[in-house]
């Protein structure tokens, strides 16, 4: 966190990217034992010097809210959740400008199914009524079966 917060550090961007990836994985894969340390790191980042570390603190709060605040999910919220849980903030910005986010209703209209572009290797299903979600990855065997 300290290296990511020092803009003159030659590895600050790399460290910030690692923090984003790590936070996303913790919440997307529901590693609840890591929530307390993640909250502590976000509290430290919220008072950081760098804008990116303060942004990271907001990102972590948003990620954790997806697990802690069940509520109905409309399309706009599903798109935000997909951006946060399938990518990182910087990559999400890039992908938003190039398009390719797929958010659609499942056949019974109970869930939002989210993917980036044609990628099927990582996906997100969000219950429309409660906001509870699950992420998944297809194995190479599963991917081969789709071809």
């Amino acid at each position: 966190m300290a290296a990511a917060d020092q803009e003159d550090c030659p590895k600050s961007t790399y460290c910030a990217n690692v923090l984003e990836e790590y936070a996303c994985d913790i919440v997307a894969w529901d590693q609840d034992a890591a929530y307390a340390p993640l909250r502590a790191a976000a509290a430290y980042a919220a008072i950081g010097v760098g804008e990116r570390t303060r942004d990271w603190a907001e990102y972590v709060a948003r990620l954790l809210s997806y697990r802690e605040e069940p509520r109905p999910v409309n399309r706009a919220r599903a798109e935000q959740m997909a951006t946060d849980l399938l990518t990182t903030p910087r990559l999400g910005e890039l992908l938003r400008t190039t398009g390719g986010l797929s958010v659609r209703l499942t056949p019974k209209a109970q869930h939002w199914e989210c993917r980036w572009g044609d990628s099927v290797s990582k996906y997100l299903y969000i219950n429309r009524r409660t906001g509870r979600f699950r992420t998944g990855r297809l194995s190479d065997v599963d991917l081969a079966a789709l071809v």
Side-chain angles (χ1 to χ4, degrees), residues 61-105:
R62 201 167 53 244
L63 285 172
L64 290 170
S65 77
Y66 300 147
R67 290 284 183 196
E68 298 168 346
E69 300 171 14
R71 63 181 175 171
V73 176
N74 62 19
R75 182 177 182 82
R77 182 162 169 87
E79 288 176 359
Q80 182 63 57
M81 288 176 73
T83 300
D84 288 341
L85 293 163
L86 295 176
T87 66
T88 61
R90 299 298 177 237
L91 183 56
E93 288 174 19
L94 173 66
L95 292 173
R96 240 183 263 175
T97 61
T98 60
L101 174 62
S102 169
V103 176
R104 63 183 182 160
L105 289 173

